[in-house]
Amino acid sequence: MEAVPHSVTVEDCKKVSATAIDSVDGFSPSQIILSFSGGRIIIAGAGLKIVNFSKASGNFAAVGTVNGVKYASKGVKLSQKIFK
């Protein structure tokens, strides 16, 4: 399966937006986990709030203090990493 082109934009460390998002897998004020066709995107920060997510269009937006954005591969579970 081919990955759908996506984008992630962080504005002034206060707002993050993304396109081609399939789902929001988890969220808290300090972390948001998103899934897209190529894996996962992990947004770390403080006071994070989701202000927009449309499953139909794949658009996502959140506000708060953004400290980092990290990509993770899809399908590798923590238990598989620990118990090799």
Side-chain angles (χ1 to χ4, degrees), residues 28-32 42-48 64-69:
S28 72
S30 62
Q31 181 173 297
I32 300 173
I42 302 164
I43 302 164
L48 297 173
T65 303
V66 179
N67 295 329
V69 177

Side-chain angles (χ1 to χ4, degrees), residues 39-64:
R40 289 187 171 176
I41 300 169
I42 302 164
I43 302 164
L48 297 173
K49 294 180 185 177
I50 299 171
V51 293
N52 180 37
F53 173 62
S54 171
K55 188 163 179 73
S57 67
N59 292 331
F60 170 86
V63 295

Side-chain angles (χ1 to χ4, degrees), residues 10-57:
V10 178
E11 297 176 27
D12 219 13
C13 295
K14 300 284 182 202
K15 181 179 179 184
V16 62
S17 58
T19 61
I21 301 301
D22 295 330
S23 65
V24 177
D25 293 342
F27 62 92
S28 72
S30 62
Q31 181 173 297
I32 300 173
I33 302 170
L34 308 172
S35 284
F36 71 106
S37 62
R40 289 187 171 176
I41 300 169
I42 302 164
I43 302 164
L48 297 173
K49 294 180 185 177
I50 299 171
V51 293
N52 180 37
F53 173 62
S54 171
K55 188 163 179 73
S57 67

